[in-house]
Amino acid sequence: QELCDKCDFEEVAYLVLNGELPNKSQLKKFIKQERSERKLSKQILNDIKKMPRNAHPMDVIRTCVSLMALEDKDTKDNSPKANMRKAMRIFAKTPTAVAAYFRTRKGKSIIAPSKKLSFSENFFKMMFNKVPDKEIVRAFDISLILYAEHSFNVSTFTARTITSSLSDLHGAITGAIASLKGPLHGGANEAVMHMMKEIGKPEKAKAWIENALNKKKVVMGFGHRVYRTGDSRVPTMKHYMFKVAKLLKKEKYTRMYEILEKVMLQRKNIHPNVDFPCGPTYYMMGIDIDFYTPIFVMSRITGWSAHIMEQHASNKLIRPLSKYRGAEVREVMLLNQR
Ligand code: CMC
């Protein structure tokens, strides 16, 4: 919450990657570096243009990071300096890939990144060819701050596990993206919006959720493996979601939010997680639903990269044992005896 009050996303990205908030000159250097790495190669842009238009953008982005590995001169180098260079490149280039596919899929021309705009402003410009109101950009920036890092969640654990075999940063991030896609993790922000669209209007929300709970359905955007009494990121994101709704006169989503939250608390004592306010916030901004988890990726790249670098710095192979509950030991029979 304090980072959201006092910092821009770039400062938080620096913090996650470097361990401390930047001073003015460190931030200037970091921003310059990020902006200088935003462009994608012609090859990758052409690859994006050829990708199927009905593909899930998460699969496209996972593939793009994989393609970046083929071009990066540091791919095989797992030293701290090379890891930081690679992390910065993936961090800077991924929004360009997200926006390029967003526009290609709509049959629109790709917009090149600008060196004059902030991370969030540049993303809007590449998506919609315009930068929206400052309040909208700030709400987006806040969502990126809240998504940047979150300890040992599934995708971070995946990245750590891949790294622990001494594999490289591109591979670990590619695996992490696959892990984030699932609806029990990052994919929940998309699932929340599909749910709200299905409900349609606030007047239908109470009956819809009562029915879902009666049928023992999992309601997306609620619950958390770690936060049993509420996700600490929610109050901040809820505040910004409500701000955006007021500004854009789309308060039907905030009314729906209140009803769903109230019933979930009353009936199950389950609190919303950060994906609950994030999904509708992105929807009100005009972003296609299947692009919400790729936006999560754009931010979480910082957290994943920090974990990957930490793992490389002090590695131990992650190799759990599972508890076997199958048949007893048997003799191997030859094929003609089975
Ligand atoms: N809707 C309805 N019931 C729920 C929900 C939910 N969203 N979450 C938990 N419960 C119930 C669950 O059915 C179980 O009930 P019972 O004891 O009667 O069987 C009880 O609460 C305990 O849940 P659990 O499954 O043991 O909790 P878990 O720690 O395994 O699950 C979770 C955590 C996130 C997988 C789960 O809450 C869930 O599926 N939520 C919906 C998906 C979602 O929003 N995911 C985003 C997570 S946060 C952001 C991120 O990491 O990306």
Side-chain angles (χ1 to χ4, degrees):
Q1 282 128 349
E2 218 183 326
L3 289 171
C4 287
D5 284 345
K6 297 179 184 168
C7 302
D8 289 335
F9 174 59
E10 282 89 335
E11 294 169 78
V12 176
Y14 182 100
L15 166 71
V16 174
L17 288 168
N18 295 281
E20 292 294 338
L21 281 168
N23 61 28
K24 272 189 186 168
S25 71
Q26 287 165 328
L27 182 64
K28 202 173 158 196
K29 200 172 154 207
F30 179 78
I31 287 176
K32 193 174 169 202
Q33 193 190 351
E34 185 269 310
R35 292 183 186 190
S36 71
E37 297 281 9
R38 286 178 178 172
K39 277 192 177 165
L40 286 170
S41 69
K42 274 200 182 115
Q43 167 87 44
I44 294 184
L45 285 173
N46 283 334
D47 289 336
I48 291 175
K49 285 181 198 158
K50 285 187 214 139
M51 284 176 191
R53 293 192 181 187
N54 62 353
H56 193 289
M58 277 298 272
D59 295 336
V60 169
I61 297 314
R62 191 197 62 229
T63 305
C64 285
V65 172
S66 216
L67 290 170
M68 287 176 206
L70 309 183
E71 295 180 343
D72 199 306
K73 55 184 184 302
D74 289 318
T75 298
K76 289 184 204 145
D77 186 348
N78 292 335
S79 67
K81 281 190 175 162
N83 271 348
M84 187 62 90
R85 288 195 295 271
K86 290 186 282 186
M88 283 302 289
R89 287 185 203 118
I90 301 173
F91 174 57
K93 290 182 199 313
T94 298
T96 316
V98 173
Y101 184 63
F102 180 82
R103 291 186 64 85
T104 300
R105 196 172 74 165
K106 293 178 187 297
K108 292 183 174 170
S109 59
I110 293 171
I111 296 170
S114 160
K115 281 190 182 176
K116 292 189 183 133
L117 300 172
S118 75
F119 189 89
S120 294
E121 287 169 343
N122 175 56
F123 182 63
F124 277 108
K125 174 78 178 154
M126 291 191 298
M127 293 278 280
F128 303 110
N129 201 16
K130 68 171 193 201
V131 179
D133 193 285
K134 274 195 164 35
E135 303 256 26
I136 303 288
V137 177
R138 181 69 184 146
F140 187 80
D141 223 53
I142 292 291
S143 75
L144 298 182
I145 292 174
L146 294 170
Y147 271 148
E149 157 59 17
H150 208 220
S151 75
F152 267 68
N153 53 82
V154 194
S155 56
T156 302
F157 185 65
T158 304
R160 284 266 189 176
T161 307
I162 294 173
T163 309
S164 82
S165 74
L166 296 183
S167 187
D168 55 73
L169 189 130
H170 282 87
I173 291 185
T174 304
I177 295 173
S179 167
L180 189 75
K181 185 185 173 194
L184 297 188
H185 190 14
N189 58 11
E190 298 180 16
V192 165
M193 204 53 228
H194 287 301
M195 174 180 77
M196 285 200 173
K197 283 193 81 180
E198 192 188 318
I199 296 170
K201 43 186 176 179
E203 296 72 35
K204 291 190 172 171
K206 190 165 187 303
W208 189 94
I209 190 142
E210 298 276 12
N211 181 46
L213 292 178
N214 290 343
K215 288 185 175 158
K216 300 221 171 296
K217 279 192 185 165
V218 172
V219 182
M220 291 300 164
F222 283 87
H224 199 277
R225 177 58 63 80
V226 181
Y227 299 127
R228 296 303 189 177
T229 53
D231 180 336
S232 58
R233 300 165 294 180
V234 167
T236 310
M237 198 59 227
K238 181 179 175 183
H239 171 76
Y240 280 91
M241 175 196 161
F242 279 48
K243 238 179 158 173
V244 169
K246 200 168 172 202
L247 206 72
L248 300 177
K249 299 191 175 35
K250 294 191 175 172
E251 278 149 323
K252 84 175 202 180
Y253 297 108
T254 53
R255 279 188 281 138
M256 224 184 267
Y257 183 109
E258 305 268 33
I259 296 164
L260 297 174
E261 182 183 48
K262 194 173 162 198
V263 176
M264 279 301 279
L265 280 169
Q266 273 171 354
R267 281 205 42 185
K268 302 278 294 183
N269 196 25
I270 297 178
H271 295 257
N273 58 57
V274 71
D275 290 321
F276 193 57
C278 268
T281 306
Y282 294 151
Y283 188 77
M284 290 185 278
M285 290 171 176
I287 302 168
D288 295 354
I289 296 176
D290 51 1
F291 278 81
Y292 302 173
T293 323
I295 292 169
F296 191 158
V297 170
M298 283 163 31
S299 165
R300 186 57 63 86
I301 281 168
T302 59
W304 291 330
S305 300
H307 279 272
I308 293 163
M309 289 190 270
E310 205 172 80
Q311 186 72 33
H312 269 146
S314 170
N315 189 54
K316 187 102 182 154
L317 180 74
I318 298 173
R319 204 293 189 193
L321 288 172
S322 62
K323 200 168 182 179
Y324 178 69
R325 287 161 50 145
E328 292 300 311
V329 175
R330 287 166 294 169
E331 189 188 339
V332 176
M333 308 297 283
L334 291 172
L335 185 59
N336 62 5
Q337 295 169 330
R338 275 178 253 149

